Amino acid sequence: MKNIIEFRASLSSSHPDANLSVQLKALWYDGKGDWHKAHQQVDHLNDRASAQVHAYLHRKEGDLWNAGYWYNRAEEQMPSFTLEEEWEKLVLKFL
C-alpha cells in the first residue's frame, strides 16, 4: 500500500493486508469501527510507534488519563485536532 487512498479503499476488505505493520493493522481495524480488535494489535507492545497508536485509541475511547500515559510513552503530546485528523496523520506516518 502506497498512500492513504489505497489504505481507505482496503477498508472494504474483510481482512487487512498481511503486509501491513502492526500499527497500520490497528489503524485499519479502527477504520473498520472495531476498536477492540485495533486495541488488541498494540496492547501488548512497548515500542514508541505502537504506544502512539495505543494513545490514539484510548483518546478515542474517551479515557484521557490512559491516553496521556501512552502519549508520554510515545514521547508525543496529546493532539488538539480531531480524532479523524489524528487517524489520518498516523496512517500517513506509518505507510
Side-chain angles (χ1 to χ4, degrees):
M1 224 167 285
K2 297 179 183 175
N3 58 52
I4 194 145
I5 295 168
E6 290 179 12
F7 189 83
R8 284 187 193 278
S10 78
L11 295 175
S12 65
S13 299
S14 58
H15 293 82
D17 185 302
N19 295 318
L20 292 179
S21 67
V22 68
Q23 295 83 17
L24 284 170
K25 283 181 183 173
L27 293 164
W28 187 90
Y29 282 113
D30 182 66
K32 294 280 282 183
D34 192 340
W35 185 94
H36 292 286
K37 187 80 167 174
H39 188 254
Q40 287 175 350
Q41 304 302 305
V42 293
D43 187 41
H44 61 287
L45 302 174
N46 292 311
D47 60 281
R48 285 181 55 198
S50 296
Q52 190 172 9
V53 174
H54 200 166
Y56 156 78
L57 290 168
H58 282 294
R59 178 176 172 234
K60 184 171 186 177
E61 177 191 33
D63 185 350
L64 297 183
W65 182 90
N66 205 357
Y69 170 81
W70 287 102
Y71 282 114
N72 186 48
R73 293 281 308 265
E75 299 178 20
E76 297 284 340
Q77 295 291 317
M78 189 178 306
S80 59
F81 43 80
T82 68
L83 289 164
E84 293 79 16
E85 290 171 304
E86 185 176 11
W87 181 88
E88 187 170 303
K89 287 178 186 291
L90 289 170
V91 169
L92 290 169
K93 178 178 182 171
F94 296 120
L95 275 176

